[in-house]
Every structure is written in C-alpha cells, then in structure tokens.
C-alpha cells in the first residue's frame, strides 16, 4: 500500500487509533513526542473547531457546517512543535436549503460532513496537474 501513497510510509489507521487509546494524554504532549512515539517524520493533525447539523435555533431544518484546521508538523525540522503548514476548512451539507428531518436522517447529515472533511483534507496532500487547454 505504501507504493500507492507516493510516500516512504505511513501509520495505518488502526495503529493510530490504538495509540490514542493506549496514551489518552497524548493531546498534552509536544508534537515532537507524538511523532516520535508513532515513528513518523510528519504528523498531520485535523482539529474540528466547530460542527453543527441544523440551523441555529431551528432543530428541524438541516444546515450542517463543519469547520476544521488541518496542520502539518515536521518532526525532523528545526521547529518540531510548530506547524509547517496550516489550512482552515469550512464545509457545509446539504448543498440546497430546505431539507428537514423528514427528508434525511441526522446520521446522514453527520456522516456527509465527516466525509466531506476527510475528502477535502486529503486533497491538500495530493498532487493535481491539469492542462490549461486541451490538445488536439
């Protein structure tokens, strides 16, 4: 699978999840130490700063919003506890207004927001090359 990522390696999701359960105080550690314990040179952190499913004051109309900060720590740099890259994301669901609890479930809205966040965060780390004009 490493060949598919284009990187030298990564920690599988299960290993990261196990790490967070085994070390519940990891959030109080320096980023350098987290990277060291996970045996990685780069640490990608996604912090959800706001999430809502409905319009403020209206629990029946879906107006989902998720805001997050995506940051990269370079553990092998001169500043291993500072972000080398930061991007703020703000995503919404559904795309159209007026959907209510009769149209879709709470779980559908929540999962769609999580999916959009995961997809958009992944886009930040993919190379994308598109020609300016079509040839031929």
């Amino acid at each position: 699978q490493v060949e598919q990522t284009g990187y030298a390696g990564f920690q599988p999701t299960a290993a990261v999840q196990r790490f967070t359960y085994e070390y519940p105080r990891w959030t109080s550690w320096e980023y350098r130490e987290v990277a060291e314990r996970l045996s990685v040179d780069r640490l990608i952190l996604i912090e959800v700063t706001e999430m809502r499913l409905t319009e403020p004051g209206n629990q029946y109309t879906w107006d989902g919003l998720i805001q997050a900060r995506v940051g990269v720590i370079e553990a092998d740099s001169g500043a291993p506890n500072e972000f080398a890259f930061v991007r703020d994301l703000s995503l919404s669901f559904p795309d159209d207004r007026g959907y209510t609890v009769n149209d879709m479930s709470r779980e559908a809205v929540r999962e769609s927001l999580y999916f959009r966040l995961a997809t958009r965060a992944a886009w930040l780390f993919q190379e994308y090359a598109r020609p300016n004009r079509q040839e031929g």
Side-chain angles (χ1 to χ4, degrees):
Q1 290 183 355
V2 172
E3 303 81 36
Q4 296 172 347
T5 66
Y7 302 101
F10 63 94
Q11 284 290 347
T13 304
V16 176
Q17 191 172 27
R18 188 172 45 255
F19 172 83
T20 62
Y21 288 128
E22 289 176 4
Y23 302 101
R25 297 182 191 266
W26 72 270
T27 56
S28 65
W29 297 354
E30 291 184 344
Y31 294 133
R32 173 197 50 75
E33 185 177 354
V34 175
E36 209 172 88
R37 297 267 184 120
L38 286 169
S39 301
V40 297
D41 295 328
R42 303 291 182 269
L43 192 61
I44 299 173
L45 298 165
I46 302 174
E47 177 186 13
V48 175
T49 55
E50 181 180 346
M51 183 169 177
R52 72 163 195 251
L53 300 180
T54 60
E55 290 181 342
N58 181 352
Q59 63 183 353
Y60 302 106
T61 303
W62 298 124
D63 186 25
L65 174 72
I66 190 165
Q67 294 181 332
R69 174 163 282 184
V70 179
V72 176
I73 298 296
E74 294 179 342
D76 57 353
S77 73
N81 291 307
E82 302 290 327
F83 286 106
F85 171 84
V86 175
R87 180 70 44 96
D88 292 320
L89 301 176
S90 182
L91 307 160
S92 60
F93 182 86
D95 295 328
D96 297 322
R97 299 182 88 38
Y99 287 103
T100 68
V101 295
N102 296 325
D103 299 312
M104 64 184 79
S105 70
R106 173 176 294 282
E107 292 77 23
V109 176
R110 185 176 56 239
E111 293 304 316
S112 294
L113 287 169
Y114 287 148
F115 179 78
R116 286 186 176 191
L117 174 60
T119 302
R120 200 63 54 88
W123 286 358
L124 296 174
F125 304 102
Q126 294 178 1
E127 288 187 33
Y128 178 73
R130 181 177 179 184
N132 289 333
R133 58 188 152 109
Q134 290 182 336
E135 295 182 26

